[in-house]
Amino acid sequence: MRQLHFILIFLFSVQLTISQKEVSETNNSSSIVDNLYKEDQFYFAVSYNLLTNMPENMSQKGFSTGFTLGYIKDIPLNSNRNFGLGIGLGISTNSYNHNLKISKSNGFYNYDLVDLEDFTKNKFSTQLVELPIELRWRTSTPEEYKFWRIYAGVKLGYIVASKAKSKGGGETIKISNLAAIEKLRYGLTLSAGYSTWNVNLYYGLNPIFDDSVIINGEKTDIRIVKIGLKFYIL
């Protein structure tokens, strides 16, 4: 998990360096205007992950993080090229710290709310392939590299790997590929900001667990909200 985080950060740093070099070379070259320019095709995002609609007595503790890296095809829809569509492909890794202990006994999963004071770690994590679709508006021009943007859309995702880990109470539990995870993910997205810095929001429209997860005698409707920063490149 940590290795994937380091890889994502490294790739972002390399791409940012390349982007800055290209911008510098463009500024120093002759004034050739590219009227067919495209913007914001590579992206990197970091987020704080929230669980909403949690059952009574379930809570989060600590910092739950998410990292996303991907490419979006920029498709301008007007002659000024400041309004258009974006369709892309990306990867995402996310962790969620909470007090829902997930264990397995005799082939059956158990879901119990615990006191986190007795645990040094209790979380689940997911890795996804994502398909973002954005409606894009910005104030860019062929000569302007810093501009305002508002991008709204939807994001589809598919969980390719998941893991639950619990450490405390004299035992360590590790479970891979959680059966009760809803692998198909979909939600609404919004990115808005100026130049490098953009606020990024994601609101999940479907529960993270299926109907087999029973907590406090009831089915769950736990959903995901992500709040963070998004960086567009090139």
Side-chain angles (χ1 to χ4, degrees):
M1 185 70 172
R2 291 182 178 177
Q3 291 179 342
L4 182 55
H5 289 178
F6 292 148
I7 291 172
L8 291 176
I9 295 172
F10 173 76
L11 290 175
F12 168 69
S13 301
V14 171
Q15 184 58 57
L16 181 59
T17 301
I18 294 173
S19 177
Q20 290 174 336
K21 180 179 179 181
E22 290 179 348
V23 170
S24 176
E25 291 175 349
T26 300
N27 290 337
N28 293 331
S29 64
S30 59
S31 56
I32 299 175
V33 176
D34 181 8
N35 291 319
L36 298 179
Y37 75 96
K38 297 179 181 179
E39 292 286 1
D40 298 345
Q41 298 185 90
F42 292 91
Y43 65 91
F44 173 82
V46 58
S47 66
Y48 175 60
N49 298 338
L50 297 170
L51 297 175
T52 65
N53 292 343
M54 291 185 292
E56 186 177 0
N57 297 323
M58 182 176 174
S59 62
Q60 286 187 265
K61 183 178 181 180
F63 199 76
S64 300
T65 57
F67 295 91
T68 305
L69 178 72
Y71 170 81
I72 291 184
K73 174 66 175 177
D74 188 50
I75 308 172
L77 297 179
N78 63 349
S79 58
N80 291 331
R81 307 182 75 80
N82 61 355
F83 179 76
L85 288 175
I87 302 175
L89 184 66
I91 57 174
S92 179
T93 178
N94 301 275
S95 66
Y96 305 89
N97 297 290
H98 51 82
N99 68 331
L100 177 63
K101 178 184 174 183
I102 303 175
S103 58
K104 192 174 183 180
S105 177
N106 298 322
F108 293 94
Y109 286 88
N110 302 307
Y111 304 90
D112 302 298
L113 298 178
V114 297
D115 185 351
L116 288 178
E117 297 299 327
D118 300 327
F119 288 78
T120 58
K121 180 176 293 186
N122 193 77
K123 68 176 184 177
F124 71 85
S125 58
T126 60
Q127 288 78 47
L128 301 87
V129 175
E130 297 183 331
L131 175 66
I133 302 173
E134 298 176 341
L135 187 64
R136 300 176 142 202
W137 173 86
R138 58 195 177 222
T139 61
S140 63
T141 68
E143 301 89 357
E144 182 58 56
Y145 295 98
K146 294 183 178 181
F147 50 85
W148 291 96
R149 64 172 64 77
I150 300 176
Y151 297 164
V154 297
K155 182 186 289 185
L156 304 177
Y158 187 81
I159 295 177
V160 296
S162 59
K163 181 186 296 185
K165 186 173 183 179
S166 177
K167 188 174 182 180
E171 62 178 351
T172 298
I173 300 173
K174 295 181 181 179
I175 302 175
S176 298
N177 299 320
L178 302 173
I181 287 281
E182 287 281 8
K183 291 187 176 182
L184 181 63
R185 314 300 309 148
Y186 50 90
L188 304 177
T189 62
L190 177 66
S191 298
Y194 178 76
S195 187
T196 301
W197 299 94
N198 301 274
V199 175
N200 185 49
L201 304 175
Y202 170 85
Y203 180 79
L205 295 177
N206 63 324
I208 186 64
F209 295 117
D210 63 24
D211 291 342
S212 67
V213 177
I214 305 297
I215 302 175
N216 296 332
E218 298 180 354
K219 295 180 180 179
T220 64
D221 189 33
I222 302 171
R223 305 196 180 200
I224 294 172
V225 174
K226 302 171 70 174
I227 303 171
L229 295 174
K230 193 169 189 176
F231 306 91
Y232 289 100
I233 310 164
L234 293 181

